[in-house]
Amino acid sequence: DIDARRGFCVIDCAEDGLDDDLVLDGKIAELRDLTVDEIVAVRVKEGASGGLEAVAPLWRMAGYPEDGDDVRIGNFLGVVRCISPEGHGALQCPEIVAKFGLEASASARVIRECGLKAGDVISFSVRLDEGTKLPWVQMPCWKCCSPAWTTEMGLASRRLALLAAARRQ
């Protein structure tokens, strides 16, 4: 259930072995970014009343894994830097550059099927192309739905700068 007007949604956690559903308030995530039956990931902690509480960030799964692949949260955190006229994307992720010496790239298919836009903060995994040694973003990726968390992590200013640059192109 999502009740954006009242500022909360309920996450069904039965498949995760939890007895109770998790109530998520509008302080953790932008509820307008969520729809019923989406797959989301969020950390939980024990609250003051003994129940579980959600802790930012909340991640919404974007795209689907290839057949036979497990659904996992990504190993890297980055910002979609730009999307070319052909639909390919480049990601700003210092950890990828440090590890592979190149920026991560997203194919036009990944950009389209994951609904990515310049400035999106995502968690993702990569597949290294054996020939070019280019790290390619794999599906699914996870879109951050917690603007306050991105600000706290210093990602919001990068996101705004990238959005401004994308508008100028």
Side-chain angles (χ1 to χ4, degrees), residues 16 18 32 57 76-77 126 151:
D16 296 316
L18 299 177
R32 69 176 180 267
F76 300 100
L77 177 65
V126 295
T151 300

Side-chain angles (χ1 to χ4, degrees), residues 1-24:
D1 274 344
I2 299 173
D3 191 337
R5 184 180 53 79
R6 291 180 39 207
F8 74 91
C9 73
V10 177
I11 300 173
D12 177 3
C13 299
E15 289 183 27
D16 296 316
L18 299 177
D19 294 332
D20 297 320
D21 291 339
L22 186 61
V23 176
L24 180 73

Side-chain angles (χ1 to χ4, degrees), residues 49-126:
S49 63
L52 295 179
E53 293 178 1
V55 178
L58 179 109
W59 301 94
R60 178 174 54 88
M61 189 173 87
Y64 295 94
E66 298 295 328
D67 289 339
D69 287 351
D70 292 332
V71 174
R72 295 183 188 173
I73 197 82
N75 301 342
F76 300 100
L77 177 65
V79 180
V80 179
R81 183 173 60 76
C82 64
I83 299 173
S84 74
E86 297 80 26
H88 293 85
L91 276 78
Q92 184 179 58
C93 176
E95 194 177 359
I96 289 280
V97 174
K99 184 170 184 171
F100 301 108
L102 299 165
E103 278 190 326
S105 294
S107 69
R109 177 177 171 241
V110 168
I111 294 291
R112 183 181 60 256
E113 290 186 20
C114 293
L116 299 178
K117 302 180 303 289
D120 281 348
V121 175
I122 65 170
S123 175
F124 61 99
S125 296
V126 295

